[in-house]
Amino acid sequence: MSEEIAIGIDLGTSTSCVSVVQDGQPLVIPNEWDETTHASCVSFLEDGSVLVGNAAKRNIITNAESTVYSAKRLIGRYFFSDEVKKAQAVMPYQIVEGENNAVRIAVRGETYSLPDISALVLKEMKAIAETYLDRPVKKAVITVPAYFNDNQRQATKDAGRIAGLEVLRILNEPTAAALAYGFGRDVSQRVVVYDLGGGTFDVSILEIGKDVFEVLSTAGDTYLGGDDFDDRIMTWLADDFLKRTRLDLRQNKYCLQMLKDAAERAKIDVGSTGVADVLCEGICQDAQGKVLDLEARLTQDQFNRMVMDLVQRTFKVCDEALQSARMTAADIDAVILVGGPTRLPIIRNSVRHYFQKEPKEGINPDQVVAMGAALQANALMDSATETFLVDVTPLSLRIGTVGGYTEKIIDKNTPVPIDRSKSFTTSRDGQEKVKIRVYQGESNRADECEMLGEFEFSGFRVGYRGEVKIDVTFEINTDGMVNVSAEDPETGQKTSTTLTMSSGLSEEDIQRSIQANQQLQLAGHGEDLPAAAPRRGR
């Protein structure tokens, strides 16, 4: 292995994790408190410093308006999207609109992009690794949900750059989990990775041979995760309290935060012991000023009934992945569960019933993705490590056509890297520029797909309508991100290509964010590579 080291980071919706390969084995790196999973949470303090991780999560109630969490559900999205509207209704922090319909977070008089927020979490993972390894870390593989679109992947890569990391690769989370599962095993199996995280759900089907990991298909739902299970409990608690007191706790964001915290604890308790006793002391006051407590008992049967439709939604995605791979559940050799919510008995039992086999034991669902990312990082740094990884693009690539429709260029679940070309002709005499809108999605209607951007091509020969031919090549790289080039085949002249990402950051924005990020003081941190382990606000 070369002297320079690279780490793997699982940047999750609820929690994040960092890993490295040492002595040929993936190791999950703990912080100085021996914590291996860290809340993907950022709390901005009055003195200008910032808490990140588990210490920040403890500020969700006491510093609600200045503590940002679940940012991954918003990254790379448009301000007008359903997910952003939902977040605005329940999040205590302020979500505002930036340029080009981008999402921004307003905190203590400053405005931050979603990559800025995620960069702080990544910077904390980097600092944890540097403290443990006692050396600088500049390179990383970062994981994303398999169903992330190009905007979301680019925003995640931007976050890595802002955090001071060279992102070697953006790796799909289920693929990372399969890498960790197959590492060191001489197996030949078809494996399904059922990945239910805090904010997203993915399922991928892979074929594992000796040092070869081939993704056969992937499918997902970026609007489904453990947070949605919490929301069901929150609604149940709020409705019961409203029925008994005629007070709606959802009208106050402070009360809403107490509800969310109680709901998350209840989900964990009911999953581990079968019952959860909920107590929120002093959650609000009535009209007479009397302080009221919230008390409730949630049984496993009640919980199962309130979330069963969410569980069933995951298997519709499994159906889609199996169909795309031209397989049935009986063709699967092993099932790997990823993500904290997969510890819930209702998930494990439902997965067992669907696939007709026991999920693999001995795999930590919170750590396996980071370990796989570390293995991939190590392979990219060490030419002697032979691991052949074939991934797929999760979404079809399309071009907008007249009337608000789209034309498919690259099918979903096509192995990457891939490039495809399409020929276009000019639509009017003397035309000097051509504008083409590029989308990702499965609908032939443009408004039902995600627009990646609008490309403008120029520099080709000027002629009569339909006379000038332009070859446009669309390439999806190993990070799952789209690149475009254009050429006039008659002259061999390559045209200029300009992509405007509606929810991304310009190079100028990124450089500005890098400088601002360097000036932000992480509470408890000194230099980039501290001589002694820093205390992170515990």
Side-chain angles (χ1 to χ4, degrees):
M1 183 187 294
S2 61
E3 290 188 8
E4 197 171 13
I5 198 164
I7 57 177
I9 301 176
D10 173 12
L11 179 63
T13 304
S14 301
T15 61
S16 293
C17 186
V18 58
S19 178
V20 70
V21 172
Q22 283 195 327
D23 299 323
Q25 297 293 322
L27 168 74
V28 175
I29 302 176
N31 63 7
E32 64 272 25
W33 308 104
D34 287 328
E35 297 166 331
T36 54
T37 57
H38 318 277
S40 301
C41 191
V42 178
S43 186
F44 296 85
L45 307 183
E46 285 187 26
D47 63 1
S49 62
V50 181
L51 281 174
V52 181
N54 299 331
K57 185 177 181 180
R58 290 189 282 273
N59 278 18
I60 284 179
I61 293 177
T62 58
N63 188 27
E65 293 184 353
S66 301
T67 301
V68 183
Y69 57 93
S70 293
K72 184 176 173 180
R73 296 192 84 152
L74 304 176
I75 197 168
R77 295 194 185 276
Y78 297 108
F79 183 74
F80 51 76
S81 69
D82 291 338
E83 187 63 39
V84 173
K85 291 176 182 176
K86 178 182 174 183
Q88 283 181 304
V90 300
M91 295 303 184
Y93 52 85
Q94 191 176 3
I95 301 170
V96 299
E97 185 175 5
E99 293 182 6
N100 300 318
N101 302 120
V103 180
R104 296 288 185 264
I105 307 296
V107 183
R108 297 193 183 277
E110 299 290 340
T111 302
Y112 301 91
S113 70
L114 271 301
D116 287 332
I117 300 297
S118 293
L120 289 168
V121 178
L122 292 172
K123 191 175 182 180
E124 176 75 355
M125 299 304 102
K126 178 177 183 285
I128 289 170
E130 290 179 332
T131 299
Y132 182 88
L133 299 169
D134 195 27
R135 61 191 295 188
V137 173
K138 297 180 180 179
K139 297 184 177 182
V141 168
I142 302 174
T143 61
V144 296
Y147 231 53
F148 256 24
N149 62 41
D150 188 76
N151 286 347
Q152 293 168 306
R153 291 170 188 270
Q154 186 61 57
T156 303
K157 199 164 190 177
D158 290 345
R161 285 185 61 194
I162 294 168
L165 289 167
E166 178 187 342
V167 181
L168 299 176
R169 184 165 181 180
I170 295 292
L171 182 65
N172 289 338
E173 290 164 0
T175 307
L179 285 172
Y181 166 75
F183 176 73
R185 298 169 181 252
D186 187 14
V187 296
S188 179
Q189 292 183 338
R190 288 179 172 177
V191 174
V192 63
V193 180
Y194 180 102
D195 183 356
L196 183 61
T200 59
F201 173 70
D202 290 313
V203 61
S204 291
I205 299 170
L206 301 95
E207 188 153 16
I208 301 176
K210 182 173 175 59
D211 297 325
V212 177
F213 295 77
E214 182 179 0
V215 181
L216 303 179
S217 71
T218 191
D221 187 337
T222 57
Y223 292 88
L224 177 62
D227 288 352
D228 299 291
F229 288 67
D230 297 345
D231 289 345
R232 294 293 173 86
I233 301 175
M234 288 172 63
T235 299
W236 176 73
L237 291 171
D239 287 347
D240 180 66
F241 194 80
L242 176 64
K243 187 177 178 180
R244 290 188 290 105
T245 66
R246 297 186 178 180
L247 295 173
D248 190 351
L249 296 171
R250 287 162 290 205
Q251 300 305 311
N252 183 297
K253 288 193 175 182
Y254 179 85
C255 298
L256 203 59
Q257 274 312 302
M258 293 187 70
L259 268 181
K260 180 171 180 61
D261 190 49
E264 186 179 355
R265 290 198 309 269
K267 178 185 69 178
I268 295 170
D269 290 345
V270 80
S272 58
T273 65
V275 65
D277 288 310
V278 180
L279 173 61
C280 294
E281 294 182 325
I283 194 167
C284 70
Q285 293 181 333
D286 62 15
Q288 288 72 42
K290 181 182 178 182
V291 177
L292 302 179
D293 299 336
L294 181 149
E295 294 184 73
R297 167 166 281 202
L298 177 64
T299 66
Q300 193 168 77
D301 286 342
Q302 288 174 303
F303 175 71
N304 290 351
R305 285 195 298 272
M306 69 174 66
V307 302
M308 182 54 75
D309 65 308
L310 298 176
V311 177
Q312 291 303 321
R313 274 175 60 187
T314 70
F315 295 114
K316 290 181 180 179
V317 178
C318 292
D319 290 341
E320 182 185 337
L322 286 169
Q323 184 178 5
S324 183
R326 296 180 174 84
M327 296 169 61
T328 67
D331 297 319
I332 299 299
D333 299 311
V335 180
I336 304 168
L337 298 182
V338 178
T342 61
R343 288 190 171 91
L344 294 170
I346 186 174
I347 298 294
R348 288 187 165 270
N349 293 336
S350 298
V351 168
R352 184 185 304 112
H353 177 76
Y354 180 90
F355 289 102
Q356 291 296 298
K357 53 181 55 70
E358 289 285 340
K360 286 295 179 182
E361 298 291 338
I363 298 173
N364 188 315
D366 294 318
Q367 299 179 357
V368 65
V369 169
M371 293 169 67
L375 287 167
Q376 180 65 14
N378 184 64
L380 292 172
M381 295 291 288
D382 185 0
S383 58
T385 302
E386 295 185 6
T387 300
F388 187 57
L389 174 62
V390 180
D391 216 331
V392 298
T393 176
L395 297 161
S396 297
L397 185 66
R398 296 173 172 271
I399 283 186
T401 58
V402 295
Y405 290 92
T406 66
E407 181 179 341
K408 189 188 297 183
I409 303 299
I410 298 178
D411 287 316
K412 72 173 183 176
N413 288 321
T414 298
V416 293
I418 180 71
D419 62 81
R420 292 273 168 82
S421 294
K422 182 81 173 178
S423 294
F424 299 90
T425 58
T426 51
S427 59
R428 65 179 186 270
D429 294 345
Q431 189 169 348
E432 296 180 351
K433 296 179 180 179
V434 176
K435 279 190 176 181
I436 297 177
R437 286 186 171 179
V438 178
Y439 297 85
Q440 277 182 319
E442 306 315 313
S443 174
N444 65 351
R445 291 189 58 85
D447 58 5
E448 294 176 357
C449 295
E450 187 85 10
M451 191 178 82
L452 297 185
E454 185 175 74
F455 299 84
E456 185 176 277
F457 301 100
S458 61
F460 48 81
R461 181 175 68 84
V462 177
Y464 293 109
R465 171 185 174 184
E467 182 184 84
V468 181
K469 182 181 176 184
I470 303 166
D471 289 341
V472 184
T473 300
F474 297 85
E475 175 190 350
I476 302 179
N477 64 19
T478 53
D479 289 334
M481 291 187 288
V482 181
N483 298 299
V484 178
S485 61
E487 185 177 4
D488 181 344
E490 187 177 330
T491 65
Q493 178 68 36
K494 288 207 169 186
T495 65
S496 61
T497 304
T498 304
L499 168 61
T500 303
M501 302 291 283
S502 296
S503 57
L505 299 176
S506 67
E507 184 61 29
E508 184 181 349
D509 291 333
I510 293 172
Q511 292 303 324
R512 191 183 304 117
S513 291
I514 289 172
Q515 293 177 6
N517 186 279
Q518 290 171 345
Q519 293 171 2
L520 277 174
Q521 177 189 354
L522 295 186
H525 284 294
E527 301 298 323
D528 285 343
L529 188 62
R535 299 180 67 86
R536 293 188 178 90
R538 180 148 178 159

